[in-house]
Amino acid sequence: MRRSILALPVAGAAAAIAAFAIPSMSVAEDEVPRWQQARAVGEPVTCVPLRQIRNTRVHDDRTIDFHMTGGRIYRNTLPHECNGLGFEEAFSYETSLSQLCSTDIITVVRTGGGGINGPSCGLGQFQPIEFPEDE
């Protein structure tokens, strides 16, 4: 009988904790990630100069932001999902030009794959973007 009496306060405490946790989880679900708040500015371009790419940020299996010198950001939305790109957040490319273009192919780099690369996927156009707080 003592077990059931002790279990009730524990169960009640667990329910109270869960009740407090639920509102905070629903608030988090309602928030739009910052990368999805970007808006297009200007016309898309087919190529970006390699020497101006400062870094990249992979968001999911179709979306890569290219951060350029000077602060400009180009978003490349791949025409098709590139399986594993969002998980690995790493890719490689080969080009004989001094530019990366929408006709180029990227290959997912698997960090734990024992040297086996992931799929290769075509790029889309490079859309200049801004974030609302950047204005």
Side-chain angles (χ1 to χ4, degrees), residues 52-114:
Q52 290 184 16
I53 299 173
R54 193 178 65 205
N55 60 51
T56 60
R57 176 80 193 264
V58 176
H59 296 292
D60 59 23
D61 285 351
R62 288 189 65 196
T63 313
I64 306 169
D65 286 350
F66 288 81
H67 295 256
M68 312 297 284
T69 56
R72 182 160 241 179
I73 303 170
Y74 288 97
R75 174 157 295 167
N76 195 293
T77 303
L78 282 59
H80 306 285
E81 283 193 8
C82 195
N83 192 21
L85 179 63
F87 177 77
E88 296 293 348
E89 297 182 345
F91 63 91
S92 65
Y93 56 85
E94 290 184 33
T95 181
S96 59
L97 304 173
S98 60
Q99 305 179 92
L100 188 61
C101 297
S102 60
T103 55
D104 289 323
I105 304 293
I106 62 167
T107 301
V108 175
V109 174
R110 291 197 172 137
T111 54

Side-chain angles (χ1 to χ4, degrees), residues 105-128:
I105 304 293
I106 62 167
T107 301
V108 175
V109 174
R110 291 197 172 137
T111 54
I116 300 172
N117 285 328
S120 294
C121 308
L123 290 170
Q125 291 198 328
F126 295 85
Q127 174 64 57

